Amino acid sequence: ILYTGGTFGMVPENPNDLKSNLVPGTLVDLGKYMPALEENGYFAKHGVEIEYLSLGEPKDSSNFTPKDWVIIAKKIEQEYNNYDSFILIQGTDTMAYTASALSFMFTGLAKPIIVTGSQLPISHPRTDAISNLTNSIYIAAHKSFGLRSINEVLICFNDDLLRGNRATKYSTNDLEGFESPNFPGLASLEERITINEKYLVHREEEKFELNPTMDDQVIVVQLFPGYSPKYLEDIINNTDVKGIVFRTFGAGNYSMDKEFLKVMDMAREKEILMLNTTQCYQGSVHYGKYKTNQGMEACGVLNGKDLTLEASITKMMWCLANLSYSESRQMLATSICGEMTN
Ligand code: ASP
């Protein structure tokens, strides 16, 4: 279990004022809150051996940058042969970004990496931290509980087990903090745990490898009626941006405005990677459905289909850092590790 911070271990900034801001806390003794983790506790009795490690100063995940993903990925790579599974505790705010980034950085995963956290601190009487971590441990300790190993980067939250690069933070306060709007959950965590085998990805034949570099020269452009292309033109001409994730209407539609398309053409000439994703919470970009997505398609904007925003950004960052322009275009049009419906 790698602990990085988040609400899971947070404490009030002023210990005498329980209503003061929550700030990251050092969570030294997990067993104090979870007797199941103690030396002779429930998990030990089931033959589960757990090691717990705090990875640097605990942080609010809103302060995460790609550097944090690299630190996490490298730690997992370094310890890969020493453990059957890895659980990462982090804040929920950027959890889906971390999970997506890790899914692209690793190839040939033959072990689960489970990312979890909570909406209420572990010290709170109504906390969801204990059940979220307990569920994660069940998935991680699959051998002890007669479950199959899910060799993917996962998010385990509020009785849901989601593919990390399909998940998105859905609510700031609901204990059901995450959803996977375009792909089924990978397990039902009811009274019994049932794995949805047919939805798992199988990449074990690939060699285990980590390519942790990410290029942050990426922006997101959320389009709206009346969007003025002059701002985009300015960014294209006066910054070093290398990738743009567009958030379009419905099935990937946007106005056929000539000025806008001229700017898109400029971007293509500069070999800026462009991806069309929908603003809709659920569903997919569908080229060829409406005339209003032909303009973007003709300007070389790739079809992001049903990618989440988190997966779009991190996949683009990963492609830019590891592949050429044409390889990146190919990779962005294909599902690498179950992030998109082909
Ligand atoms: N701001 C917190 C974080 O992402 C929220 C959470 O953990 O739920 O670290």
Side-chain angles (χ1 to χ4, degrees):
I1 301 175
L2 298 167
Y3 172 67
T4 66
T7 299
F8 192 101
M10 282 194 185
V11 287
E13 193 166 26
N14 173 358
N16 300 319
D17 176 7
L18 294 181
K19 290 207 170 107
S20 61
N21 286 336
L22 285 175
V23 291
T26 44
L27 196 55
V28 186
D29 187 8
L30 256 186
K32 179 174 144 203
Y33 301 101
M34 287 179 64
L37 287 175
E38 300 269 53
E39 226 173 278
N40 283 313
Y42 179 87
F43 288 118
K45 285 188 183 136
H46 283 80
V48 185
E49 290 174 48
I50 301 173
E51 276 178 50
Y52 170 70
L53 175 84
S54 204
L55 203 58
E57 275 298 299
K59 279 188 179 181
D60 187 306
S61 79
S62 302
N63 285 322
F64 268 31
T65 70
K67 288 196 183 106
D68 294 279
W69 307 332
V70 174
I71 292 171
I72 293 163
K74 286 192 169 161
K75 184 71 190 167
I76 293 175
E77 185 200 29
Q78 189 191 326
E79 300 289 348
Y80 192 73
N81 292 326
N82 300 329
Y83 297 89
D84 289 329
S85 314
F86 299 87
I87 296 174
L88 176 74
I89 299 175
Q90 80 147 81
T92 58
D93 286 346
T94 63
M95 186 181 285
Y97 290 91
T98 306
S100 299
L102 293 177
S103 78
F104 300 122
M105 289 174 171
F106 284 108
T107 311
L109 262 189
K111 301 179 179 191
I113 299 176
I114 305 142
V115 191
T116 194
S118 63
Q119 297 279 47
L120 287 165
I122 198 163
S123 56
H124 192 284
R126 287 187 57 241
T127 190
D128 52 332
I130 294 173
S131 58
N132 289 349
L133 183 55
T134 304
N135 279 333
S136 303
I137 296 174
Y138 265 80
I139 301 301
H142 50 88
K143 288 185 184 162
S144 301
F145 297 111
L147 298 168
R148 64 157 292 167
S149 178
I150 307 180
N151 305 332
E152 301 194 28
V153 182
L154 306 159
I155 286 187
C156 186
F157 212 90
N158 195 44
D159 301 343
D160 285 330
L161 188 71
L162 310 175
R163 175 166 300 146
N165 56 32
R166 289 285 194 160
T168 193
K169 184 167 176 179
Y170 145 82
S171 171
T172 57
N173 54 298
D174 198 320
L175 297 186
E176 177 88 33
F178 288 83
E179 281 192 347
S180 170
N182 290 316
F183 199 74
L186 300 185
S188 331
L189 302 159
E190 308 298 341
E191 190 215 340
R192 279 164 183 265
I193 296 179
T194 320
I195 312 278
N196 296 331
E197 307 245 354
K198 66 176 177 195
Y199 298 123
L200 310 185
V201 288
H202 301 278
R203 298 171 73 207
E204 294 93 271
E205 320 74 48
E206 292 171 84
K207 192 170 149 267
F208 173 71
E209 213 173 58
L210 172 66
N211 289 296
T213 34
M214 299 296 255
D215 187 331
D216 64 4
Q217 289 163 276
V218 170
I219 58 162
V220 176
V221 175
Q222 166 103 355
L223 297 169
F224 49 86
Y227 177 86
S228 171
K230 66 183 180 206
Y231 302 116
L232 185 58
E233 184 176 354
D234 195 33
I235 293 175
I236 288 167
N237 289 327
N238 300 317
T239 71
D240 57 2
V241 69
K242 288 196 205 152
I244 306 174
V245 176
F246 286 101
R247 306 294 281 166
T248 54
F249 308 133
N253 306 321
Y254 191 62
S255 139
M256 302 282 275
D257 172 51
K258 284 205 180 69
E259 283 308 303
F260 179 72
L261 295 179
K262 209 169 83 191
V263 174
M264 310 284 277
D265 254 336
M266 270 179 211
R268 185 191 18 199
E269 269 160 35
K270 291 188 150 217
E271 299 204 337
I272 293 173
L273 284 177
M274 293 185 283
L275 193 59
N276 185 348
T277 63
T278 175
Q279 294 175 16
C280 292
Y281 177 68
Q282 200 258 324
S284 179
V285 167
H286 186 166
Y287 275 167
K289 186 168 179 194
Y290 294 97
K291 192 153 173 84
T292 42
N293 57 35
Q294 279 178 10
M296 288 191 120
E297 191 179 14
C299 291
V301 184
L302 293 160
N303 186 343
K305 296 182 185 165
D306 57 358
L307 282 175
T308 61
L309 181 61
E310 295 88 335
S312 311
I313 295 171
T314 52
K315 188 174 178 182
M316 201 176 252
M317 284 179 158
W318 186 86
C319 285
L320 284 170
N322 293 284
L323 306 170
S324 68
Y325 174 70
S326 60
E327 287 168 340
S328 295
R329 280 185 57 86
Q330 233 175 7
M331 210 50 131
L332 284 169
T334 327
S335 178
I336 312 178
C337 45
E339 73 278 12
M340 163 171 116
T341 307
N342 269 326

PDB file of all heavy atoms in Angstrom, residues 6-8 10 59-62 90-94 118-119 169, ligand 1:
ATOM      1  N   GLY A   6      -4.317  12.897   0.318  1.00  0.00           N
ATOM      2  CA  GLY A   6      -5.748  12.974  -0.023  1.00  0.00           C
ATOM      3  C   GLY A   6      -6.606  12.981   1.226  1.00  0.00           C
ATOM      4  O   GLY A   6      -6.104  12.820   2.358  1.00  0.00           O
ATOM      5  N   THR A   7      -7.907  13.153   1.020  1.00  0.00           N
ATOM      6  CA  THR A   7      -8.856  13.210   2.137  1.00  0.00           C
ATOM      7  C   THR A   7      -8.721  11.997   3.052  1.00  0.00           C
ATOM      8  O   THR A   7      -8.907  12.091   4.271  1.00  0.00           O
ATOM      9  CB  THR A   7     -10.298  13.278   1.582  1.00  0.00           C
ATOM     10  OG1 THR A   7     -10.416  14.455   0.804  1.00  0.00           O
ATOM     11  CG2 THR A   7     -11.331  13.323   2.682  1.00  0.00           C
ATOM     12  N   PHE A   8      -8.404  10.856   2.474  1.00  0.00           N
ATOM     13  CA  PHE A   8      -8.253   9.605   3.212  1.00  0.00           C
ATOM     14  C   PHE A   8      -7.535   9.817   4.556  1.00  0.00           C
ATOM     15  O   PHE A   8      -7.987   9.335   5.597  1.00  0.00           O
ATOM     16  CB  PHE A   8      -7.450   8.619   2.339  1.00  0.00           C
ATOM     17  CG  PHE A   8      -7.451   7.207   2.816  1.00  0.00           C
ATOM     18  CD1 PHE A   8      -8.282   6.266   2.211  1.00  0.00           C
ATOM     19  CD2 PHE A   8      -6.615   6.787   3.843  1.00  0.00           C
ATOM     20  CE1 PHE A   8      -8.278   4.943   2.636  1.00  0.00           C
ATOM     21  CE2 PHE A   8      -6.615   5.476   4.279  1.00  0.00           C
ATOM     22  CZ  PHE A   8      -7.451   4.550   3.669  1.00  0.00           C
ATOM     23  N   MET A  10      -6.637  12.959   5.757  1.00  0.00           N
ATOM     24  CA  MET A  10      -6.604  14.383   6.120  1.00  0.00           C
ATOM     25  C   MET A  10      -7.068  14.646   7.554  1.00  0.00           C
ATOM     26  O   MET A  10      -7.819  13.854   8.138  1.00  0.00           O
ATOM     27  CB  MET A  10      -7.444  15.203   5.135  1.00  0.00           C
ATOM     28  CG  MET A  10      -6.696  15.441   3.825  1.00  0.00           C
ATOM     29  SD  MET A  10      -7.482  16.718   2.837  1.00  0.00           S
ATOM     30  CE  MET A  10      -6.475  16.642   1.355  1.00  0.00           C
ATOM     31  N   LYS A  59       0.093  14.695   0.185  1.00  0.00           N
ATOM     32  CA  LYS A  59      -0.358  15.857  -0.587  1.00  0.00           C
ATOM     33  C   LYS A  59      -1.853  15.813  -0.825  1.00  0.00           C
ATOM     34  O   LYS A  59      -2.431  14.732  -0.928  1.00  0.00           O
ATOM     35  CB  LYS A  59       0.242  15.788  -1.998  1.00  0.00           C
ATOM     36  CG  LYS A  59       1.638  16.257  -2.151  1.00  0.00           C
ATOM     37  CD  LYS A  59       1.943  16.279  -3.649  1.00  0.00           C
ATOM     38  CE  LYS A  59       3.346  16.764  -3.887  1.00  0.00           C
ATOM     39  NZ  LYS A  59       3.672  16.824  -5.301  1.00  0.00           N
ATOM     40  N   ASP A  60      -2.433  16.971  -1.003  1.00  0.00           N
ATOM     41  CA  ASP A  60      -3.751  17.060  -1.612  1.00  0.00           C
ATOM     42  C   ASP A  60      -3.502  16.747  -3.093  1.00  0.00           C
ATOM     43  O   ASP A  60      -2.590  17.316  -3.705  1.00  0.00           O
ATOM     44  CB  ASP A  60      -4.276  18.498  -1.439  1.00  0.00           C
ATOM     45  CG  ASP A  60      -5.721  18.648  -1.897  1.00  0.00           C
ATOM     46  OD1 ASP A  60      -6.016  18.280  -3.046  1.00  0.00           O
ATOM     47  OD2 ASP A  60      -6.544  19.129  -1.118  1.00  0.00           O
ATOM     48  N   SER A  61      -4.289  15.880  -3.682  1.00  0.00           N
ATOM     49  CA  SER A  61      -3.984  15.466  -5.056  1.00  0.00           C
ATOM     50  C   SER A  61      -4.187  16.595  -6.059  1.00  0.00           C
ATOM     51  O   SER A  61      -3.774  16.478  -7.212  1.00  0.00           O
ATOM     52  CB  SER A  61      -4.791  14.233  -5.457  1.00  0.00           C
ATOM     53  OG  SER A  61      -6.107  14.585  -5.800  1.00  0.00           O
ATOM     54  N   SER A  62      -4.811  17.688  -5.640  1.00  0.00           N
ATOM     55  CA  SER A  62      -4.911  18.841  -6.537  1.00  0.00           C
ATOM     56  C   SER A  62      -3.535  19.450  -6.785  1.00  0.00           C
ATOM     57  O   SER A  62      -3.353  20.223  -7.716  1.00  0.00           O
ATOM     58  CB  SER A  62      -5.833  19.903  -5.949  1.00  0.00           C
ATOM     59  OG  SER A  62      -7.088  19.332  -5.719  1.00  0.00           O
ATOM     60  N   GLN A  90      -4.675   7.826  -2.781  1.00  0.00           N
ATOM     61  CA  GLN A  90      -4.462   9.230  -3.145  1.00  0.00           C
ATOM     62  C   GLN A  90      -5.786   9.985  -3.081  1.00  0.00           C
ATOM     63  O   GLN A  90      -6.854   9.380  -2.937  1.00  0.00           O
ATOM     64  CB  GLN A  90      -3.819   9.345  -4.522  1.00  0.00           C
ATOM     65  CG  GLN A  90      -4.753   9.195  -5.694  1.00  0.00           C
ATOM     66  CD  GLN A  90      -4.318  10.067  -6.891  1.00  0.00           C
ATOM     67  OE1 GLN A  90      -3.436   9.673  -7.634  1.00  0.00           O
ATOM     68  NE2 GLN A  90      -4.952  11.229  -7.070  1.00  0.00           N
ATOM     69  N   GLY A  91      -5.696  11.301  -3.208  1.00  0.00           N
ATOM     70  CA  GLY A  91      -6.906  12.119  -3.198  1.00  0.00           C
ATOM     71  C   GLY A  91      -7.777  11.839  -4.406  1.00  0.00           C
ATOM     72  O   GLY A  91      -7.296  11.406  -5.461  1.00  0.00           O
ATOM     73  N   THR A  92      -9.061  12.116  -4.240  1.00  0.00           N
ATOM     74  CA  THR A  92      -9.991  11.795  -5.319  1.00  0.00           C
ATOM     75  C   THR A  92      -9.952  12.823  -6.457  1.00  0.00           C
ATOM     76  O   THR A  92     -10.296  12.495  -7.586  1.00  0.00           O
ATOM     77  CB  THR A  92     -11.435  11.727  -4.790  1.00  0.00           C
ATOM     78  OG1 THR A  92     -11.769  12.984  -4.193  1.00  0.00           O
ATOM     79  CG2 THR A  92     -11.605  10.625  -3.778  1.00  0.00           C
ATOM     80  N   ASP A  93      -9.530  14.060  -6.139  1.00  0.00           N
ATOM     81  CA  ASP A  93      -9.639  15.122  -7.151  1.00  0.00           C
ATOM     82  C   ASP A  93      -8.941  14.765  -8.457  1.00  0.00           C
ATOM     83  O   ASP A  93      -9.459  15.055  -9.536  1.00  0.00           O
ATOM     84  CB  ASP A  93      -9.073  16.448  -6.608  1.00  0.00           C
ATOM     85  CG  ASP A  93     -10.014  17.078  -5.590  1.00  0.00           C
ATOM     86  OD1 ASP A  93     -11.180  16.647  -5.514  1.00  0.00           O
ATOM     87  OD2 ASP A  93      -9.577  17.996  -4.878  1.00  0.00           O
ATOM     88  N   THR A  94      -7.772  14.191  -8.379  1.00  0.00           N
ATOM     89  CA  THR A  94      -7.056  13.869  -9.625  1.00  0.00           C
ATOM     90  C   THR A  94      -6.790  12.366  -9.756  1.00  0.00           C
ATOM     91  O   THR A  94      -5.917  11.944 -10.502  1.00  0.00           O
ATOM     92  CB  THR A  94      -5.725  14.660  -9.737  1.00  0.00           C
ATOM     93  OG1 THR A  94      -4.861  14.272  -8.658  1.00  0.00           O
ATOM     94  CG2 THR A  94      -5.955  16.160  -9.691  1.00  0.00           C
ATOM     95  N   SER A 118     -10.840   8.292  -0.465  1.00  0.00           N
ATOM     96  CA  SER A 118     -12.149   8.357   0.191  1.00  0.00           C
ATOM     97  C   SER A 118     -12.687   9.773   0.159  1.00  0.00           C
ATOM     98  O   SER A 118     -11.953  10.728  -0.090  1.00  0.00           O
ATOM     99  CB  SER A 118     -12.045   7.867   1.642  1.00  0.00           C
ATOM    100  OG  SER A 118     -11.188   8.725   2.369  1.00  0.00           O
ATOM    101  N   GLN A 119     -13.978   9.882   0.430  1.00  0.00           N
ATOM    102  CA  GLN A 119     -14.625  11.203   0.479  1.00  0.00           C
ATOM    103  C   GLN A 119     -14.572  11.773   1.895  1.00  0.00           C
ATOM    104  O   GLN A 119     -14.675  12.978   2.088  1.00  0.00           O
ATOM    105  CB  GLN A 119     -16.098  11.108   0.036  1.00  0.00           C
ATOM    106  CG  GLN A 119     -16.306  10.666  -1.416  1.00  0.00           C
ATOM    107  CD  GLN A 119     -16.127  11.797  -2.425  1.00  0.00           C
ATOM    108  OE1 GLN A 119     -15.148  12.539  -2.352  1.00  0.00           O
ATOM    109  NE2 GLN A 119     -17.022  11.902  -3.377  1.00  0.00           N
ATOM    110  N   LYS A 169     -14.180  11.368 -11.897  1.00  0.00           N
ATOM    111  CA  LYS A 169     -14.770  11.775 -10.618  1.00  0.00           C
ATOM    112  C   LYS A 169     -16.145  12.355 -10.918  1.00  0.00           C
ATOM    113  O   LYS A 169     -16.273  13.302 -11.691  1.00  0.00           O
ATOM    114  CB  LYS A 169     -13.895  12.794  -9.890  1.00  0.00           C
ATOM    115  CG  LYS A 169     -14.462  13.145  -8.520  1.00  0.00           C
ATOM    116  CD  LYS A 169     -13.505  13.903  -7.625  1.00  0.00           C
ATOM    117  CE  LYS A 169     -14.201  14.294  -6.334  1.00  0.00           C
ATOM    118  NZ  LYS A 169     -13.357  15.017  -5.392  1.00  0.00           N
TER     119      LYS A 169
HETATM  120  N1  ASP B   1      -8.753  17.498  -2.328  1.00  0.00           N
HETATM  121  C1  ASP B   1      -8.704  16.094  -1.984  1.00  0.00           C
HETATM  122  C2  ASP B   1      -7.598  15.467  -2.814  1.00  0.00           C
HETATM  123  O1  ASP B   1      -7.792  15.205  -3.979  1.00  0.00           O
HETATM  124  C3  ASP B   1     -10.005  15.440  -2.238  1.00  0.00           C
HETATM  125  C4  ASP B   1     -10.080  13.983  -1.859  1.00  0.00           C
HETATM  126  O2  ASP B   1      -9.140  13.315  -1.533  1.00  0.00           O
HETATM  127  O3  ASP B   1     -11.208  13.464  -1.873  1.00  0.00           O
HETATM  128  O4  ASP B   1      -6.533  15.228  -2.304  1.00  0.00           O
END
